[in-house]
Every structure is written in C-alpha cells, then in structure tokens.
Amino acid sequence: MQAERRVAELHRRGVDGAYLYGAADEPEHELAGGLGAFFLLTEPPERYGLPAEADSPIQENLVAATAAALGAGLLAAAAAALTFATARGRQR
Amino acid sequence: MSDPGEHPLGLPAEPPAPLGHEEPPASAAARDARWADGDIATRDETPALGRRGEPASWRRAVPESEVALAKPAWGDAGWSYLFGHDTSYAAAEPEEGAVAAANRRMRSGTMPDPVQGPFIHPPVWTWEVPLYFWFGGAASGAAFAALAADLAGDEVSARVARKVALGAVLPAPVLLIGDLGRPGRFLNMLRIFKPRSPMNLGAWCLVAFSTAGAGAVAADLLGSQRTARSLGAAEALFGSYLGSYTGVLLATTAVPLWARSRVFLGPIFVATATATGAAATRLTLGAVGQAEDHPTHVALARLEAGAIFAELALSTVNERRLGRTGEVLAHGTPGLLFRTAKTLVGVGLVLPLVARGRTGRLAQNAASVLYLAGGLAFRFAWVQAGKASARDDEAVALMARGRVTADDPPRGGTEQRASSDHRPPLADAGPAKILRAWGAAVGRASLLVERVVRGAGHGARRCTPQRPPSPRV
C-alpha cells in the first residue's frame, strides 16, 4: 500500500511520529473492526479530534445492558407482586 | 524553523506550481463568464452513467476504462506540499509490521493535553424524549401494579391500574412522532425487526404493550375477566422491557456517561418507572375512592417508596464508580436537575414517616406527587447529562483509551475493552460465569431471531422498480 510506503519513507527521513490512523493495523488493534478510511498523521489522534481506540457501542454494551435491564424489569414486577402479597397477608 | 527557505526534509520550500492548462480562473466572475449560456464546451456535463437527460442505465464498469469527469492530470490525487508531482519517492516497501507498530505507538502514547475536540456530536433529543421516557416508565410501572393486584386477588384495583397503564402509554407514540417530525418515520421503525437495535425493539415493544393494554381494558369493559387477566400479564411482561429499554438505548451510544453506566442505566430507569407507575396508580385509586387502609393502597405506597430507595441507591453507587466521567452529573443544568430530583424524592421519602393520622394521608399523597415530579426530573437530568458528557471532549478521549482518569494505566488488549471502568475485569468466579452465560445466551438468541426473521423476509420480498421522480410543473 502506498500510504505504508510513505510512512516508512517519513520514518527514514526522521519524522518518527508518522503513522496511519485507520489502516495497516493488526486485526486485534483495528479501530471498530476497520474504518474504510484512513489518514496519515504525525501527532496523537486526539490532536485531530479522533479517538485513540474505537469500538461499536452496540457491540460493546448491548448484551450486558439488555441483560441488566430485562433482569431488573422482571425483578421489579416480582417485587411488586411480593409487596402486594405481603400487604394482603398482614391484613388478614 | 530557523531559515524559512530551508525545509526540514530537505525539500524545496515552494510547492510545485500547477500545470498551465489546469490553471483555474482567477476569479469567480471569470469562471461564470467561461460557463455562460451556450458555452458548455468548457464544462463537461457528461453523466457518469447513461446519457444526458435520461435515467442512468446501470452497467458494470469495464476495467481500465476511462471514467467521465476524471482529470487524468491530477493523477492519484497524490499531490502534496511535501513531495510534489513525483510520487515515486516512496518506492521502498516498509519493514514487516513497522507501520502497525507506529500506529500502536502513536495511539497508545501519552494523550495530548488539552485534546482537540469535538469527537462526537451530542444527542439532538429535545424535551419530547425524556417526557416519553417518563410516560412509558409510568405505564410499565402501572402494568406491574395491575399484575400484582391481579395476583393478590384485588380485581377492582387491577382494573383501575390497567386503565392507568393505558392512559400513560397513549401519549408515548405521540411524543415519539413529535420527536421524529412525522408519523411515517415512526412507522418505518415497524418495517424492520432488528434485535440488535434497542430503538427498534423498543418501538415494537411499545406497540405490543399498548395493544395488550388496550385489549385488557376492552376485556375489562366487556366483562371478560380471564382475557383481561392474561392480557394484563402480557402487558406487564412487555412493560418490563418498555420501562428498561430506554436505559439500554442510552447505554449503546458513544456518550461516555451513558456507555459507562451501561449495567446501571436499565435498572435505574426501571426503578423510576416502578415508582412513578405505582404513584400514579395509587393517586388514581385514591381519587376513585379507595380506602387508605386498603391492602392495595398500603402495598402501592410501600412499592413506590422501595423503588425510589432502590433508584437512589443505584444512582449513588453508579456515581461513585463513574469517577471522572460522572463529573457532568454535578455541574450545570444536569447537575441542577439531578439535585432537584433527589431533593423531591428525598422529601417524598421522609414526609409519610413524620406525618400521622389525617395529615399522614395528605403526606402520602404529597409523596406520590413528589415521586412523579422527581421521576420526571430524573429523566430530563439523564438526557441533559448525556449531552453535557458528549461535549466533554476529554472524557470521550479517555473512554476511547479505556481510562477514566489520566492517571490510570492505558487499556490492554481487546479482551479488556469490555470492562466497564477502571476496576479489573470480573474474576472468573461463579456469579461472573452465570452473568457471562446469560449474556452469551441473550446474544445468541437475538442473532437467531434476527436470522429467522430475515430468512422469512427474503422469500416474500420483491424488488420494486424505482419510479423516476415525476417532473415538476
């Protein structure tokens, strides 16, 4: 890839900070599983308004959040039933 | 730079001049003159596909063929102040993994201070959305109360609670449509079924909940007790998602405050929903003349107090673990809203404890009103705090690096990314295993449902030809 050759050339000329944002990563370090666009940058990504790492918030949070929310919803319904049952029991 | 004429890379300081025939007109007026009527020779209007004035016919592109409007003289857009026309400067292949190592080094090094935002756009939600959260929550809470009253054998109260649930859910679609602008956009949600999207599931759940609720109320009016009971149970089941999915909806965004609270938002929202729903039901029951010492009345008072207590406890724990990300909860408009909400529900918790006798009844009703108001303030506070958190550029940048404060160590490999805050990931103990198995089961089930639905849709779907837009008169 030409961009990688440019980064290598910049390194050779002494610009050590040159890197590609969004391309040429190992699979486990890819941004959000691959971006489809990339930039040749020379400063940390936060200087350009870009996050250092990126994951899909849905992939990262959906299952845990849904499990907690549904669990809490069912728990609340059960707690309501329990409160009613105890209140009635005490009345008798 | 010491000498302006000298380039750090030993390149000419002046950028190369563009080729003569590519020279743009000196002014906009000159360009307009060149593009004047009839003189289309200077302006290539060849469509990329098809012929002028006709709908484009789609044909697979021939490899190596020329593309309309392409300017060969611009090359691969490789022109650069550093390197000029000649792009063969970078002919040497980089060492294996050298670029990936540079990427890793620059992305995991020290974070610049201050960071250059904005990283994300704040949510554009206006007042309709938190108000919808409040109405939907109250509806699901009332549905819980109806189910509980049914199970306890109090059919009169259950009937009233089901009416409260239906009444509370009726404004919900109106508010959602108001937020979206027109009804078609809400109906578009119901054209697909996508378990991975909490917004889509929530729209379906809202429809299922209100259908079951309307059916239950209709069965009540027709005197069919068994149908009403079973529909009411279904309504409560849908309500357990309707009251909690709003938290999931917020948690599956890139807003640091919401994403970091992912396992807390759903339970917090359910607690608010239960409290507001029980409060609305109790006030309605009081209005239709139910005695103060009726067991349902007592149970609802206990339920709303317990739910508010759970809400406050969960919020406190969440705020403590959020650390740096949670700072937005204490400042500005969201901070004011949160303090207001906490004061309202706090007074509501204390009032019935100090008042006795006839004042006690008044105090209990005042507490219910305070819970309703506090719940509304909580909904607005969470949405406003999310907007503030999205504007907190440092928090967004730190969350991307898996850190809450700048002093925390940088995040490790991908397997640690799912850990929600600065604590180490869950140990492989019993509860963690159960949680993980539950999470995996939910994930697999949602994928399976989506695949089945998609498979069923494939057979029926037909390709509708696109009609060209009718010409304007």
Side-chain angles (χ1 to χ4, degrees):
Chain A
M1 190 166 65
Q2 189 168 30
E4 289 181 55
R5 294 202 292 272
R6 287 188 184 187
V7 169
E9 175 69 14
L10 282 169
H11 285 171
R12 196 184 65 73
R13 295 193 192 187
V15 186
D16 288 328
Y19 69 106
L20 296 178
Y21 181 90
D25 291 312
E26 294 112 342
E28 69 268 23
H29 288 284
E30 265 183 359
L31 290 145
L35 286 191
F38 66 89
F39 309 97
L40 199 167
L41 306 177
T42 53
E43 297 253 351
E46 281 92 349
R47 294 293 295 167
Y48 306 92
L50 298 165
E53 302 282 342
D55 293 302
S56 153
I58 287 209
Q59 267 179 24
E60 216 185 353
N61 295 344
L62 177 74
V63 172
T66 308
L70 256 185
L74 296 174
L75 199 70
L82 198 71
T83 319
F84 274 66
T86 51
R88 186 152 291 264
R90 206 164 298 172
Q91 195 79 7
R92 272 185 198 147
Chain B
M1 216 180 293
S2 56
D3 178 9
E6 191 184 321
H7 194 275
L9 302 180
L11 290 163
E14 287 295 311
L19 296 181
H21 66 275
E22 294 284 342
E23 197 87 56
S27 66
R31 187 196 60 202
D32 290 348
R34 259 170 62 177
W35 286 1
D37 301 33
D39 183 21
I40 50 171
T42 55
R43 181 179 179 185
D44 187 359
E45 294 185 332
T46 319
L49 288 172
R51 274 180 288 177
R52 283 184 65 195
E54 284 182 3
S57 62
W58 192 89
R59 265 180 304 133
R60 188 165 289 285
V62 181
E64 307 292 325
S65 64
E66 213 167 276
V67 177
L69 305 180
K71 294 265 182 263
W74 288 353
D76 61 348
W79 186 90
S80 132
Y81 276 100
L82 288 179
F83 301 114
H85 290 290
D86 162 35
T87 52
S88 64
Y89 63 91
E93 286 292 330
E95 277 175 50
E96 182 74 31
V99 177
N103 294 355
R104 220 171 36 238
R105 190 176 65 241
M106 290 304 284
R107 272 168 41 197
S108 61
T110 48
M111 201 171 91
D113 185 32
V115 296
Q116 174 65 52
F119 291 87
I120 55 176
H121 291 290
V124 293
W125 289 340
T126 42
W127 56 271
E128 292 98 338
V129 175
L131 196 60
Y132 158 69
F133 288 176
W134 186 71
F135 271 115
S140 61
F144 296 160
L147 176 70
D150 247 343
L151 289 178
D154 183 359
E155 276 165 11
V156 182
S157 305
R159 226 171 283 164
V160 174
R162 282 197 282 267
K163 285 199 186 106
V164 171
L166 183 64
V169 83
L170 281 181
V174 179
L175 287 167
L176 283 183
I177 290 169
D179 176 57
L180 292 170
R182 55 188 165 86
R185 298 204 182 125
F186 179 74
L187 293 178
N188 278 345
M189 269 285 160
L190 307 177
R191 288 170 58 192
I192 53 166
F193 184 76
K194 188 175 175 186
R196 266 178 300 164
S197 157
M199 196 178 278
N200 183 249
L201 273 194
W204 278 110
C205 188
L206 178 62
V207 170
F209 181 92
S210 27
T211 310
V217 170
D220 275 335
L221 293 177
L222 293 173
S224 168
Q225 203 56 52
R226 279 188 58 184
T227 320
R229 286 189 75 154
S230 45
L231 279 174
E235 191 186 8
L237 191 68
F238 292 130
S240 69
Y241 190 65
L242 185 73
S244 64
Y245 95 89
T246 46
V248 183
L249 188 70
L250 301 190
T252 50
T253 59
V255 174
L257 175 73
W258 293 344
R260 290 282 167 165
S261 317
R262 54 180 190 163
V263 288
F264 280 80
L265 267 184
I268 287 174
F269 277 31
V270 162
T272 318
T274 312
T276 49
T281 311
R282 211 185 61 80
L283 287 175
T284 315
L285 281 173
V288 298
Q290 192 179 60
E292 292 297 320
D293 52 354
H294 192 281
T296 303
H297 227 74
V298 176
L300 279 172
R302 264 184 224 152
L303 182 64
E304 57 196 77
I308 279 297
F309 187 76
E311 207 279 348
L312 286 176
L314 284 167
S315 291
T316 310
V317 173
N318 190 35
E319 267 164 50
R320 282 180 60 101
R321 60 180 272 288
L322 276 175
R324 158 80 182 80
T325 315
E327 273 174 21
V328 287
L329 294 174
H331 304 291
T333 319
L336 187 68
L337 281 167
F338 265 112
R339 281 193 296 278
T340 312
K342 282 184 180 166
T343 313
L344 287 173
V345 301
V347 172
L349 274 178
V350 175
L351 260 188
L353 297 181
V354 294
R356 294 257 169 264
R358 187 166 156 65
T359 24
R361 190 179 310 165
L362 269 177
Q364 191 66 60
N365 285 345
S368 293
V369 174
L370 286 171
Y371 294 152
L372 283 168
L376 186 62
F378 268 125
R379 303 301 202 194
F380 272 92
W382 270 110
V383 171
Q384 291 297 330
K387 291 184 185 180
S389 180
R391 283 191 213 99
D392 185 353
D393 295 325
E394 199 185 294
V396 180
L398 283 169
M399 180 173 81
R401 287 190 177 227
R403 288 189 282 163
V404 176
T405 65
D407 311 322
D408 285 338
R411 71 200 290 169
T414 39
E415 64 282 346
Q416 280 180 13
R417 286 188 190 181
S419 68
S420 70
D421 56 55
H422 51 285
R423 289 173 312 175
L426 285 174
D428 217 6
K433 264 186 191 157
I434 295 168
L435 270 182
R436 213 165 290 154
W438 166 254
V442 170
R444 265 202 301 276
S446 77
L447 277 175
L448 187 73
V449 170
E450 193 169 323
R451 207 168 294 152
V452 168
V453 169
R454 209 181 271 168
H458 259 304
R461 204 179 303 152
R462 296 224 87 75
C463 225
T464 44
Q466 286 275 312
R467 220 167 8 144
S470 51
R472 269 201 205 139
V473 186

